[in-house]
Amino acid sequence: MSASIFSCFLLQKSVVMGIIASQTARESQYICAEKGHRLSNSANKALWIQRAIRLLSKLSLPAAQRLGRWVGHILWWFQAGPARVTLTNLEQCFPELPARERHALAKQSLLHTGMVAAEIGAVWEWPAEKILSLVKEVEGEELIKSAESAGKGLVLLAPHLGNWEVAGLFFAARYKMAALYQPPKIEELDDYMRKVRERNGSELVPANKRGVMRLFHILREGGVIGILPDQDPELSGGQFAPFFGIEANTIKLVSKLVERTEAKVLCVCAERLSDSEGFRLVVQEADSLIYSEDLLISVTALNRTVENMVNRFPEQYQWEYKRFKRRPEGQRHFYN
């Protein structure tokens, strides 16, 4: 879906990259010397990241997931930054859980986030058909067919749950799909990321006024767009609303798109199956109040839609993300 996916788990993925960073760094230095010129730091970084992803793509799905779980164990064992953020989020969202259960959930979340990072080699480098063969079943497919028959646009909400890249690839293979695209901070990665995301027909729309207008046009034409609903937007693009009982800066764009185009909204994710069997594509109805003309009611329903999906398998949610980084005026900050 949106290219901002990359930034959301770059920290976790960097641990995986670190396993092979020394090798790729040596190789990139050799290549640069052989060509007789010196690349910039960002170009070197882009080079080793791409080579690391390609090395990860050599792993089978079971091997990649084992590596990801190992990384998750390391993060938990050393109580690294992602582990501390995870515990903070769970303490806020599930205060009723006994501490032992919260810790167990936090550890499992880190294992799954490690797997998301390690799976990126396969998802970005394998042929699309090979990745799609890992989707073993689809739950809620009748909802998609019903939305199609209505003849209106369709907004797919893909929270950071399971492997959202797999979910995006699945729908891009079936529909002419569009998603907002925010170029990566490392400019030299832009071409690569566009290539891997557009290989199955997705249209990447710039995350600016022109891009938003393009989304309105696509929906009015009965098209399909994908949006990550659980990121912390700029304050100008957000509205504070409860998420697991905590006020969270929530994207307003979905509510505005729905209000002006009468598009249908569904929530989707690719649940990771046990024993490296692949993924289950899950489709759920959005909370009905997401169609309200009242902005606060609508964005609250959007968060409730995400909650309903996350509650099915909370260990696969990316609790490592600082979802509550921006706070309403006067409220304390959670993250040190």
Side-chain angles (χ1 to χ4, degrees):
M1 300 263 178
S2 163
S4 57
I5 293 169
F6 178 79
S7 61
C8 289
F9 60 84
L10 184 57
L11 175 60
Q12 288 80 14
K13 187 164 65 181
S14 67
V15 180
V16 178
M17 302 302 186
I19 300 168
I20 47 184
S22 58
Q23 176 183 345
T24 54
R26 286 194 298 271
E27 290 174 351
S28 65
Q29 290 170 2
Y30 173 79
I31 292 170
C32 293
E34 187 177 31
K35 289 183 177 180
H37 67 275
R38 184 178 179 182
L39 295 177
S40 67
N41 287 338
S42 61
N44 261 320
K45 189 178 294 185
L47 177 63
W48 76 254
I49 287 175
Q50 289 178 59
R51 293 179 70 83
I53 290 172
R54 288 177 179 133
L55 282 174
L56 286 173
S57 74
K58 306 299 182 184
L59 299 175
S60 65
L61 181 65
Q65 291 184 345
R66 283 196 298 271
L67 173 61
R69 287 193 295 271
W70 179 78
V71 170
H73 279 295
I74 294 296
L75 291 172
W76 178 254
W77 180 264
F78 288 101
Q79 286 296 289
R84 295 194 298 272
V85 172
T86 300
L87 283 170
T88 297
N89 283 334
L90 292 176
E91 286 167 2
Q92 297 300 320
C93 296
F94 299 104
E96 74 285 355
L97 275 184
R100 179 177 296 180
E101 291 184 28
R102 278 204 307 270
H103 279 67
L105 179 55
K107 182 177 180 180
Q108 287 301 310
S109 176
L110 285 163
L111 299 187
H112 279 280
T113 293
M115 285 188 274
V116 174
E119 289 163 355
I120 200 67
V123 176
W124 281 8
E125 288 288 331
W126 287 8
E129 297 78 13
K130 186 176 180 181
I131 291 295
L132 294 174
S133 71
L134 297 175
V135 178
K136 302 304 182 182
E137 57 183 289
V138 181
E139 176 188 319
E141 192 165 15
E142 70 281 358
L143 298 175
I144 304 172
K145 293 178 179 177
S146 175
E148 285 182 297
S149 64
K152 296 183 179 180
L154 177 60
V155 178
L156 298 175
L157 305 178
H160 293 85
L161 181 66
N163 191 314
W164 51 94
E165 292 270 6
V166 172
L169 196 62
F170 176 87
F171 284 101
R174 292 190 167 201
Y175 308 99
K176 184 173 175 55
M177 228 183 83
L180 284 179
Y181 178 73
Q182 183 70 43
K185 292 181 179 179
I186 303 174
E187 293 181 5
E188 289 81 359
L189 281 173
D190 189 47
D191 287 343
Y192 172 67
M193 291 177 65
R194 281 183 172 274
K195 179 181 177 181
V196 298
R197 285 212 167 88
E198 291 179 334
R199 76 186 191 277
N200 216 36
S202 291
E203 177 185 354
L204 298 180
V205 177
N208 53 31
K209 185 176 180 180
R210 182 179 176 183
V212 170
M213 295 306 295
R214 174 63 181 150
L215 295 184
F216 277 108
H217 176 76
I218 290 170
L219 290 177
R220 289 190 179 109
E221 294 293 313
V224 181
I225 68 170
I227 290 183
L228 294 165
D230 53 347
Q231 291 183 299
D232 185 4
E234 296 296 328
L235 288 174
S236 60
Q239 164 75 47
F240 282 101
F243 181 60
F244 284 99
I246 307 299
E247 290 294 308
N249 186 32
T250 305
I251 186 172
K252 295 188 291 189
L253 178 60
V254 174
S255 301
K256 293 181 177 180
L257 288 169
V258 171
E259 180 185 6
R260 298 180 190 177
T261 67
E262 299 183 342
K264 177 73 174 178
V265 185
L266 296 174
C267 191
V268 303
C269 80
E271 176 192 2
R272 187 174 293 102
L273 300 175
S274 60
D275 301 322
S276 300
E277 291 181 357
F279 301 90
R280 175 188 295 112
L281 206 292
V282 180
V283 183
Q284 288 188 175
E285 288 271 14
D287 187 291
S288 61
L289 291 179
I290 201 170
Y291 303 104
S292 171
E293 295 181 0
D294 184 291
L295 181 61
L296 179 57
I297 292 175
S298 178
V299 296
T300 299
L302 183 148
N303 282 344
R304 196 156 49 240
T305 297
V306 176
E307 290 178 26
N308 291 339
M309 185 72 90
V310 171
N311 280 328
R312 294 190 53 172
F313 23 90
E315 72 283 355
Q316 295 197 26
Y317 190 58
Q318 195 182 44
W319 296 105
E320 293 68 36
Y321 179 59
K322 293 182 179 181
R323 182 65 184 88
F324 309 108
K325 181 170 59 176
R326 291 183 174 87
R327 309 303 307 132
E329 187 175 353
Q331 290 196 14
R332 68 180 183 87
H333 291 267
F334 300 144
Y335 313 111
N336 295 326

